[in-house]
Amino acid sequence: MQTLLQLSLLLALTFCHLTFASDPASLQDFCVADRNNQVKMNGFACKNPATVQAKDFSFTGLHIPGNTRNAIGSAVTAATVTQIPGLNTLGISMVRIDLAPWGINPPHTHPRATEILTVIEGSLEVGFVTSNPDNRLISKILQKGDVFVFPIGLIHYQRNVGNGNVVAIAALSSQNPGVITIANSIFGSKPDISADILAKAFQVDKSIVQQIQWRF
C-alpha cells in the first residue's frame, strides 16, 4: 500500500512538472508579426518564415526630428512592433524623443516596460515618482551622453531645461510597452470620470475639474 502511494505521488509530481514546464528561450529564430492574422493572442501570430523579408526587421525615421510645435513642445517617434514586425516576441523596442526649449514629455507610465534613456543633444530634466505611500520624486538633469532608467510602471516625465532643442533615444523592455499619459487618462477618459470623484480626489472645486475635462 505504501509503495502504491509513493508511486501515485511520483506520478502526480511528474504530471505537474510536465504541465508547468516551459522553455524560457525562443523556440525559433524569429516570429515576425502577421498583422493580417485574425487570431487573438498575447502579441501577434507569426508570419510564414518563408515570406519574411529584410523590411520586416527595419525602420527608417529615427533620424528625422519630430514636430514639437504643439501645446507641450515635444514629439515621440516610436519604433515598436507596430513599425517593425520583426520585434514580435523579442521584448524590446525604442523611441526618439524631441523637445523644444522648455518643452515637456508630460507625466506618463509604461505599463509593460522599463525604459532606459540617453541624451543625444541638449539638457534634459528627468524624474519618476515611487509608489504609495512614499510618492518620492527621484529626478536629475542629464547632459549629452548621460543615461537614466525609469522602472516599469512608475510615473515619469522629461523636460527640456535649456534654450536649444533636446534629442533623446530610449529603449524599452517590451515590443509594445504601452503609454498612459496621466492627464489624458484622468481628464480625457471616454466617457468622463465623474467630476465629483475627481474634485474630491484632487481637493478642488468641481467647476475646475469640468474646465480641465473640457480641454481634453
Side-chain angles (χ1 to χ4, degrees):
M1 183 67 176
Q2 185 176 3
T3 302
L4 181 60
L5 288 174
Q6 290 174 337
L7 179 59
S8 298
L9 179 59
L10 178 61
L11 289 172
L13 290 173
T14 301
F15 176 78
C16 289
H17 174 74
L18 291 174
T19 301
F20 294 107
S22 64
D23 191 331
S26 177
L27 300 178
Q28 52 201 12
D29 289 340
F30 47 75
C31 175
V32 173
D34 182 359
R35 299 198 188 95
N36 296 319
N37 194 309
Q38 299 302 309
V39 174
K40 301 296 182 183
M41 57 191 300
N42 187 23
F44 295 92
C46 302
K47 181 185 288 189
N48 183 341
T51 67
V52 168
Q53 301 179 32
K55 66 180 182 180
D56 292 315
F57 298 92
S58 65
F59 171 74
T60 300
L62 290 189
H63 65 294
I64 301 173
N67 183 5
T68 59
R69 294 181 180 178
N70 52 57
I72 57 176
S74 69
V76 177
T77 304
T80 68
V81 70
T82 301
Q83 293 77 31
I84 308 174
L87 287 177
N88 192 38
T89 75
L90 297 184
I92 193 170
S93 59
M94 65 190 305
V95 298
R96 169 180 172 143
I97 306 168
D98 289 275
L99 299 102
W102 299 100
I104 66 167
N105 189 9
H108 62 282
T109 179
H110 301 293
R112 296 181 289 275
T114 290
E115 176 180 349
I116 183 168
L117 173 150
T118 185
V119 177
I120 304 301
E121 178 183 328
S123 299
L124 185 66
E125 177 187 346
V126 298
F128 65 84
V129 180
T130 64
S131 56
N132 297 350
D134 294 338
N135 300 127
R136 180 184 171 202
L137 173 62
I138 298 177
S139 64
K140 181 180 177 63
I141 294 179
L142 306 180
Q143 306 297 338
K144 180 178 180 179
D146 290 345
V147 175
F148 196 81
V149 173
F150 305 99
I152 184 171
L154 296 187
I155 295 173
H156 58 283
Y157 69 92
Q158 295 102 31
R159 178 173 67 156
N160 184 346
V161 291
N163 295 318
N165 294 328
V166 162
V167 179
I169 295 290
L172 300 109
S173 60
S174 171
Q175 67 185 45
N176 182 25
V179 60
I180 301 171
T181 304
I182 306 308
N184 297 36
S185 298
I186 293 175
F187 296 105
S189 66
K190 303 292 186 294
D192 288 342
I193 298 174
S194 170
D196 292 323
I197 294 174
L198 296 181
K200 183 170 288 188
F202 287 95
Q203 295 293 289
V204 297
D205 189 83
K206 179 179 175 180
S207 63
I208 295 176
V209 170
Q210 291 172 328
Q211 288 177 22
I212 298 174
Q213 288 178 321
W214 181 81
R215 290 176 178 270
F216 285 90

